[in-house]
């Protein structure tokens, strides 16, 4: 891993060195071109940074941007590369540019070519301002696309898990549920506050039969919230009648008549007869006992 990093660092340094030397060669030609179109000494020294510097900025923008913005950056890079190539080519064809003895504003003998070259050389700084600002704004406002996370779906997983049947597991005894009972005060007779003075005699009227009132023990309110109960819909009820133990045993005997002893398990009986794990274990024990008795006889 360390060698890989050192190799990459050496490659980057070599590329930077090559680009720097190429810039130095192009800088000499672009400086003479800028002086020929009327730039002073300071502007002529900065002119190569305007052209080749924008090329470097456009190259970085192509590595960051995507889509239409990346295409725009590639076009700017190609246009300024061609412009720099043309100006370097003109610098090689006109020896007077090397000693700066050429007439001011004269880059070619043919007037249309001279006008085009002067227009190209003078428009590159303005284009650098526009395209450079646009590329910087695009890079600063660029938001990379989020990388989708690979979600593992449990249903599509290829791993197989061995699950033991609940019919062969031991039955766990649930812990006793102790209700929270609060002792209520003893009931008090209703007529203990009535006056004991003799009442005025009146005719006896046969009392009407009244329903007896039974005492009911009211439990304390439990802190646990109760679930809402209601009538079970008819669709949710099982349409199969409840079978007796003898019927279950008969069905189990018929289903396991041709089974070997090793196959007579609670899980197999539960699936064949479609009963609960508790009944399946009882049927398994009964069938095994019957087969043991038959073998002994």
């Amino acid at each position: 891993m360390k060698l890989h990093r050192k190799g990459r660092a050496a490659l980057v340094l070599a590329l930077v060195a090559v680009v720097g030397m190429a810039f130095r060669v192009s800088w000499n030609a672009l400086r003479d071109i800028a002086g020929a179109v009327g730039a002073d000494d300071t502007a002529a020294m900065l002119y190569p940074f305007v052209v080749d510097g924008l090329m470097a900025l456009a190259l970085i923008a192509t590595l960051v941007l995507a889509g239409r913005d990346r295409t725009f950056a590639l076009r700017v890079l190609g246009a300024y590369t061609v412009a720099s190539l043309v100006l370097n080519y003109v610098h090689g064809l006109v020896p007077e540019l090397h000693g700066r003895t050429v007439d001011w504003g004269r880059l070619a003998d043919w007037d249309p070519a001279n006008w085009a070259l002067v227009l190209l050389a003078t428009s590159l700084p303005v284009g650098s301002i526009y395209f450079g600002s646009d590329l910087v704004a695009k890079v600063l406002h660029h938001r990379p696309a989020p990388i989708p996370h690979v979600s593992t779906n449990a249903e599509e997983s290829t791993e197989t898990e061995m699950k033991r049947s609940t019919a062969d597991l031991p039955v766990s005894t649930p812990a006793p549920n102790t209700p929270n009972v609060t002792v209520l005060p003893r009931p008090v007779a209703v007529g203990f506050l009535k006056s004991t003075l003799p009442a005025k005699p009146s005719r006896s009227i046969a009392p009407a039969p009244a329903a007896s009132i039974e005492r009911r023990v009211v439990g304390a309110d439990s802190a646990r919230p109760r679930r809402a109960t209601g009538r079970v819909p008819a669709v949710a009820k099982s349409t199969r009648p409840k079978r007796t133990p003898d019927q279950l045993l008969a069905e189990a005997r018929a289903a396991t008549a041709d089974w070997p002893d090793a196959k007579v398990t609670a899980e197999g009986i539960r699936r064949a007869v479609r009963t609960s794990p508790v009944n399946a274990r009882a049927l398994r024990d009964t069938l095994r006992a019957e087969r043991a008795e038959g073998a002994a006889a």
Side-chain angles (χ1 to χ4, degrees):
M1 189 65 180
K2 293 183 179 179
L3 294 177
H4 181 62
R5 289 183 178 179
K6 290 182 179 179
R8 293 178 60 184
L11 178 61
V12 172
L13 291 177
L15 291 176
V16 170
V18 172
V19 171
M21 291 185 289
F23 174 76
R24 177 63 185 86
V25 175
S26 178
W27 178 81
N28 191 25
L30 295 178
R31 181 195 60 182
D32 295 341
I33 293 291
V37 295
D40 56 6
D41 294 338
T42 304
M45 292 184 62
L46 296 177
Y47 186 82
F49 294 97
V50 173
V51 180
D52 294 342
L54 183 64
M55 291 168 55
L57 176 61
L59 179 60
I60 296 174
T62 56
L63 300 177
V64 177
L65 300 176
R68 299 178 59 183
D69 295 339
R70 186 173 182 271
T71 304
F72 173 76
L74 286 174
R75 291 177 179 176
V76 173
L77 176 61
Y80 268 73
T81 301
V82 172
S84 179
L85 176 62
V86 171
L87 294 180
N88 277 270
Y89 178 70
V90 172
H91 183 267
L93 290 178
V94 183
E96 291 81 1
L97 289 173
H98 303 171
R100 296 190 179 184
T101 58
V102 69
D103 295 337
W104 181 74
R106 196 70 186 177
L107 298 178
D109 295 334
W110 187 42
D111 289 339
N114 181 63
W115 297 338
L117 292 175
V118 172
L119 177 62
L120 175 64
T122 55
S123 62
L124 288 179
V126 180
S128 297
I129 296 174
Y130 173 76
F131 294 121
S133 302
D134 193 11
L135 288 176
V136 171
K138 291 180 183 299
V139 170
L140 294 178
H141 290 83
H142 176 67
R143 295 293 181 268
I147 301 175
H149 297 281
V150 179
S151 60
T152 56
N153 191 351
E155 296 179 357
E156 298 178 358
S157 177
T158 58
E159 298 180 357
T160 57
E161 299 179 358
M162 300 300 294
K163 297 183 179 179
R164 190 176 179 183
S165 174
T166 57
D168 295 328
L169 295 178
V171 180
S172 59
T173 304
N177 185 12
T178 305
N180 186 11
V181 180
T182 304
V183 180
L184 298 177
R186 297 179 61 185
V188 182
V190 179
F192 78 101
L193 294 177
K194 291 185 178 180
S195 175
T196 56
L197 296 176
K200 185 177 181 180
S202 58
R203 293 186 303 171
S204 60
I205 300 175
S212 61
I213 301 175
E214 299 179 356
R215 293 184 181 180
R216 296 180 181 178
V217 180
V218 181
D221 294 337
S222 176
R224 183 184 303 174
R226 298 180 59 188
R227 295 184 300 175
T229 59
R231 186 177 180 181
V232 179
V235 181
K237 295 182 179 180
S238 177
T239 58
R240 189 171 185 176
K242 187 174 181 181
R243 294 167 292 180
T244 62
D246 295 335
Q247 294 176 349
L248 289 174
L249 182 57
E251 292 182 11
R253 287 172 180 168
T256 61
D258 55 346
W259 289 9
D261 296 338
K263 193 178 178 181
V264 180
T265 60
E267 178 62 17
I269 296 173
R270 185 185 67 82
R271 292 181 178 180
V273 185
R274 298 184 180 276
T275 183
S276 63
V278 178
N279 293 335
R281 284 192 292 270
L283 294 172
R284 177 198 60 190
D285 296 338
T286 304
L287 293 176
R288 287 182 178 178
E290 290 178 358
R291 292 195 177 193
E293 293 176 2

